[in-house]
């Protein structure tokens, strides 16, 4: 094994690759500029639109209530709602977003409340629609406050203290640090993002260094050089690995900066209640270490596919489905109930995503992590071995 020859191939291929504008776009522009701009833009738009919608007065329809003047008076003096005339077609009006909600009063609602009978008010909403949910929250708060006031008046009539209704309180106390809490949230997104960036960062250089050379007619010249084919593959693989890891790291840094900007913006919009985003640098470093064998696996597998392909177009047609197959297990790791175990530790991509999620949440299962790292090293070695074997076959290099 000649490290000198591998280094020569690596420097030559990396220099040629960095001269290509398409490489800079895929490695720098996309992860450093486009992705953070999209994240920040969507986040700022969501905050701005959400604040604007909360300032709007929801349109509410009242069904019935003519025989309940006390409740109707309290409801209409509340400036938080804009009332529209009643209609039998209220369900379609809510579905069509022409009104936000409707209130259905039973007959003799006030009389039933005064008599102490059990009664109910029905609030019709469009579940999942933002404006309708805002109207629901405001209406629920109104009726809850009115119910509590009536209960307080009844207790006062019987000279009973209000604390009679609350014999004990329920308090929730967080036992973990803010870093672990935010790590649990970020751990569902960050490993997925890094894995996808590792994959996308390796696609273009792997195609250019294999199928691209076949199209340009430079593969024959390269094979005439006094360098063993194994060294040629390892040098090219290191170039793909470098671009893959650089893309992932740049994406991580730029998107982290975008998250910090969103944290400040949301905190200002929420009046001092920022998003719980705190990243542990040591956990981040551990995730990147776990990503290294995965990036080697991607590099070897993509080099093998590129070598097998007759042209760059054919290589693209093979690698695009591979990207989908990578995204699916990486996304599955974010689902609730999917926990790291010995079985899942052997599933490529999914194991790294699960391990990254655990690490970011502050859990270091060393036994599982050892299995994940060891299995991915084995898969990476197999992928590189396949690429080397294909590079040694003339019928593969010169397929027509």
């Amino acid at each position: 094994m000649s490290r000198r020859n591998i280094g020569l191939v690596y420097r030559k291929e990396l220099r040629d690759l960095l001269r290509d504008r398409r490489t800079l776009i895929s490695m720098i522009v996309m992860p450093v500029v486009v992705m953070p701009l999209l994240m920040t833009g969507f986040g700022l738009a969501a905050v701005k639109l959400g604040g604007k919608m909360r300032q709007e007065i929801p349109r509410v329809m009242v069904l019935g209530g003519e025989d309940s003047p006390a409740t109707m008076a309290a409801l209409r003096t509340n400036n938080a709602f804009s009332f529209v005339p009643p209609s039998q077609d209220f369900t379609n009006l809510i579905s069509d977003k022409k009104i936000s909600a409707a209130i259905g009063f039973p007959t003799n609602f006030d009389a039933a409340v005064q008599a102490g009978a059990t009664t109910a008010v029905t609030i019709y909403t469009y579940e999942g629609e933002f404006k309708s949910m805002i109207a629901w929250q405001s209406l629920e708060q109104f009726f809850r406050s009115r119910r509590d006031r009536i209960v307080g008046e009844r207790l006062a009539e019987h000279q009973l203290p209000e604390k009679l209704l609350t014999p004990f309180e329920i308090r929730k106390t967080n036992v973990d640090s803010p870093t672990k809490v935010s790590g649990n949230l970020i751990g569902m997104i960050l490993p997925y993002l890094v894995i996808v960036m590792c994959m996308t960062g390796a696609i273009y250089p792997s195609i250019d260094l294999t199928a691209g050379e076949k199209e340009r007619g430079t593969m024959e010249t390269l094979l005439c050089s006094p360098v063993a084919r194994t060294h040629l593959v390892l040098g090219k693989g290191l170039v793909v690995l470098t671009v893959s890891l650089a893309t992932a790291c740049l994406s991580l840094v730029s998107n982290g900066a975008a998250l910090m900007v969103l944290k400040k913006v949301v905190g200002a919009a929420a009046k001092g209640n920022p998003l719980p985003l705190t990243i542990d640098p040591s956990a981040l470093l551990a995730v990147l270490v776990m990503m290294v064998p995965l990036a080697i696996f991607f590099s070897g597998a993509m080099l093998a596919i590129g070598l097998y392909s007759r042209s760059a177009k054919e290589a693209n047609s093979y690698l695009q489905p591979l990207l989908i197959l990578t995204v699916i297990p990486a996304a599955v790791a974010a689902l609730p109930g999917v926990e790291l175990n010995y079985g899942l530790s052997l599933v490529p991509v999914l194991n790294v995503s699960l391990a990254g999620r655990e690490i970011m949440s502050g859990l270091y299962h060393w036994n599982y992590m050892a299995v994940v790292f060891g299995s991915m090293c084995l898969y990476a070695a197999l992928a590189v071995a396949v690429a080397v074997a294909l590079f040694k076959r003339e019928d593969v290099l010169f397929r027509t």
Side-chain angles (χ1 to χ4, degrees), residues 20-32 34:
D20 194 335
R21 183 170 53 188
R22 290 172 294 182
T23 303
L24 299 179
I25 291 175
S26 64
M27 186 176 70
I28 298 177
V29 176
M30 287 297 294
V32 177
V34 177

Side-chain angles (χ1 to χ4, degrees), residues 226-239:
V227 179
R229 295 194 179 185
T230 301
H231 299 159
L232 289 174
V233 175
L234 294 179
K236 289 176 178 290
L238 285 175
V239 173

Side-chain angles (χ1 to χ4, degrees), residues 113-114 145-162 165:
V113 171
Q114 291 297 326
S145 299
R146 183 165 178 81
R147 183 183 61 186
D148 293 342
R149 185 177 62 81
I150 293 173
V151 170
E153 292 175 353
R154 290 178 178 177
L155 291 174
E157 289 177 1
H158 294 82
Q159 297 182 351
L160 296 174
E162 290 189 11
L165 296 178

